[in-house]
Amino acid sequence: MSGQVMVSEEAAPVHPGAPILQVTGLVKHFSTDRGLFGGGAKLHAVDGVDLEIFPGEVLAVVGESGSGKSTLARCILRLIDPTAGRIVFDGQDVLALKGRRLAGFRQQVQPVFQDPFSSIDPRWRVGTSVAEALDAFAIGAKAERRARVLDLLDRVGLDPSLAGRRPHELSGGQRQRVGIAAALAPSPRLIVADEPVSALDVSVQAQVLNLLADLQRDLRLAILFVAHDLAVVEHISHRVAVMYLGKIVETGPTDAVFRDPRHPYTKALLEAIPRPDPDRRMEGSALHGEIPSPIAPPSGCRFRTRCPVAIGRCVTEEPEMTAFGVGHTAACHVARAEQQDDHHRP
Ligand SMILES: Nc1ncnc2c1ncn2[C@@H]1O[C@H](COP(=O)(O)OP(=O)(O)O)[C@@H](O)[C@H]1O
Ligand SMILES: [Mg+2]
């Protein structure tokens, strides 16, 4: 993908320079312990992922549970070490960072998790949790912190009076807002949000998504937004990367991926979205069966065992990423053949 890629028409940031985050050939294999004498097998959680995010851009990573999204997010956050590959943030080799530079990276790249309790302590008052996020990076003089905490609560739409409450006194949506305030506290440039609304009621999901979209625009944040549901990311993301069994199978501007999906897996995910408008329903069959074990991924194309259009070649040959439009790529033999037919038609 070139640095000139334009994303969806509305509110799309143009990419004038270098990506803020660039991931190349990322692999994370877990060894599965099969007892003392059995050789452990390798679980291919992430199996060669390339992606980039530009400053102020929202990239959604979408795929079913088990496709490796959280493992990818945890590698990027440097919570776990990848088996192979490269992660560059703001020109720095993330995997080589130590000491002060690593602390600087942790300040600039903040997580938001599905369960806000993984970033806020259930015993602490809400204001303390947010203050702690400031303290962790020694931000601001002590006297300023109170004002800063109240300001952050206000930013995420929480009444300052909630600062004295404990998490269990809040609703799920309010707790996630506290999690977001804590993530914003050190003024990050990139937020890695792993299913930040998946645990919330649908009505609350929309509110938290709107909040994230507003913050993203106002603060020019870059967000890596992980979700298992394409519908959730339609309005918040500029680009989408669809992940299946450790690999990205399609990526493109959100608009292009929704309007003109090329990979059968993307089509199946789109079809799973309930639509009131029959014109937007997709043809073909919905997704059947379960995601295969990442211990022994299928040969050739990993999706072939569930693919409604698979051909012989899909068993033997792994499809490469092919361009279908500006910044829009997919890895599918059938889609590629269809595109070539279109080109050769008089
Ligand atoms: N620490 C771990 N040890 C072994 N296997 C793991 C570990 N973390 C994740 N996995 C496996 O890696 C695969 C991808 O998991 P995950 O990254 O959580 O996917 P997703 O977030 O898309 O649901 C799954 O098969 C999961 O069981
Ligand atoms: Mg996950």
Side-chain angles (χ1 to χ4, degrees), residues 23 59 156 170 212 223 252 315 335 337:
V23 172
L59 173 71
V156 298
L170 306 184
L212 282 169
I223 304 183
V315 181

Side-chain angles (χ1 to χ4, degrees), residues 30 43 45 64-71 294:
F30 292 107
L43 187 148
E64 280 164 291
S65 174
S67 51
K69 308 178 300 293
S70 293
T71 303

Side-chain angles (χ1 to χ4, degrees), residues 244-255:
Y244 186 76
L245 214 51
K247 284 190 185 278
I248 289 173
V249 298
E250 180 157 8
T251 183
T254 306
D255 193 44

Side-chain angles (χ1 to χ4, degrees), residues 184-209:
L184 291 179
S187 302
R189 295 173 64 201
L190 172 66
I191 289 204
V192 177
D194 189 355
E195 309 235 14
V197 302
S198 299
L200 304 174
D201 291 344
V202 173
S203 59
V204 182
Q205 282 190 3
Q207 294 166 16
V208 174
L209 284 172

Side-chain angles (χ1 to χ4, degrees), residues 19 45 91 135 246 253 302 315:
D135 287 354
R302 289 170 184 218
V315 181

Side-chain angles (χ1 to χ4, degrees), residues 303-328:
F303 185 59
R304 67 171 169 85
T305 55
R306 299 166 81 194
C307 182
V309 296
I311 53 176
R313 195 176 171 189
C314 307
V315 181
T316 52
E317 208 181 310
E318 185 165 350
E320 283 174 22
M321 275 290 191
T322 307
F324 291 94
V326 180
H328 185 187

Side-chain angles (χ1 to χ4, degrees), residues 14-314:
V14 186
H15 303 132
I20 188 168
L21 180 81
Q22 188 156 31
V23 172
T24 319
L26 198 80
V27 173
K28 179 64 183 180
H29 292 166
F30 292 107
S31 37
T32 58
D33 187 11
R34 288 215 172 137
L36 275 178
F37 304 105
K42 261 190 284 172
L43 187 148
H44 304 235
V46 174
D47 225 2
V49 162
D50 298 330
L51 60 82
E52 51 192 7
I53 305 181
F54 291 86
E57 181 187 51
V58 183
L59 173 71
V61 174
V62 180
E64 280 164 291
S65 174
S67 51
K69 308 178 300 293
S70 293
T71 303
L72 171 65
R74 288 159 60 76
C75 288
I76 290 171
L77 286 161
R78 262 203 68 169
L79 297 173
I80 53 173
D81 290 326
T83 309
R86 219 170 123 73
I87 303 173
V88 175
F89 176 77
D90 200 19
Q92 302 184 91
D93 177 357
V94 171
L95 300 172
L97 294 177
K98 293 193 189 87
R100 260 201 15 237
R101 285 175 182 272
L102 178 58
F105 169 80
R106 295 210 183 282
Q107 174 175 345
Q108 293 192 64
V109 182
Q110 282 285 308
V112 173
F113 297 106
Q114 175 172 336
D115 172 13
F117 278 129
S118 44
S119 45
I120 59 175
D121 192 310
R123 295 162 303 176
W124 289 351
R125 292 179 200 282
V126 161
T128 311
S129 283
V130 179
E132 186 65 17
L134 291 168
D135 287 354
F137 299 98
I139 294 167
K142 272 256 182 304
E144 292 167 17
R145 292 206 192 140
R146 199 186 137 76
R148 188 80 203 275
V149 168
L150 297 181
D151 182 52
L152 281 163
L153 291 180
D154 183 58
R155 270 231 107 107
V156 298
L158 291 175
D159 193 276
S161 68
L162 293 177
R165 301 276 182 84
R166 291 183 208 277
H168 67 85
E169 298 175 77
L170 306 184
S171 69
Q174 286 173 325
R175 277 204 291 268
Q176 190 54 290
R177 285 172 195 266
V178 176
I180 294 168
L184 291 179
S187 302
R189 295 173 64 201
L190 172 66
I191 289 204
V192 177
D194 189 355
E195 309 235 14
V197 302
S198 299
L200 304 174
D201 291 344
V202 173
S203 59
V204 182
Q205 282 190 3
Q207 294 166 16
V208 174
L209 284 172
N210 285 337
L211 169 68
L212 282 169
D214 289 347
L215 290 168
Q216 188 271 328
R217 263 194 309 273
D218 295 350
L219 305 173
R220 298 253 321 126
L221 282 170
I223 304 183
L224 178 74
F225 192 111
V226 170
H228 63 261
D229 179 353
L230 261 172
V232 162
V233 303
E234 182 171 6
H235 299 294
I236 194 173
S237 58
H238 301 109
R239 284 191 300 124
V240 176
V242 178
M243 197 165 171
Y244 186 76
L245 214 51
K247 284 190 185 278
I248 289 173
V249 298
E250 180 157 8
T251 183
T254 306
D255 193 44
V257 171
F258 275 76
R259 202 172 15 85
D260 186 23
R262 295 304 177 111
H263 199 285
Y265 182 58
T266 312
K267 292 181 186 179
L269 289 179
L270 281 168
E271 210 179 317
I273 302 176
R275 296 273 186 202
D277 174 3
D279 288 347
R280 293 199 63 182
R281 281 202 195 122
M282 301 281 163
E283 307 248 316
S285 58
L287 205 52
H288 295 298
E290 292 196 352
I291 191 163
S293 164
I295 293 177
S299 64
C301 171
R302 289 170 184 218
F303 185 59
R304 67 171 169 85
T305 55
R306 299 166 81 194
C307 182
V309 296
I311 53 176
R313 195 176 171 189
C314 307

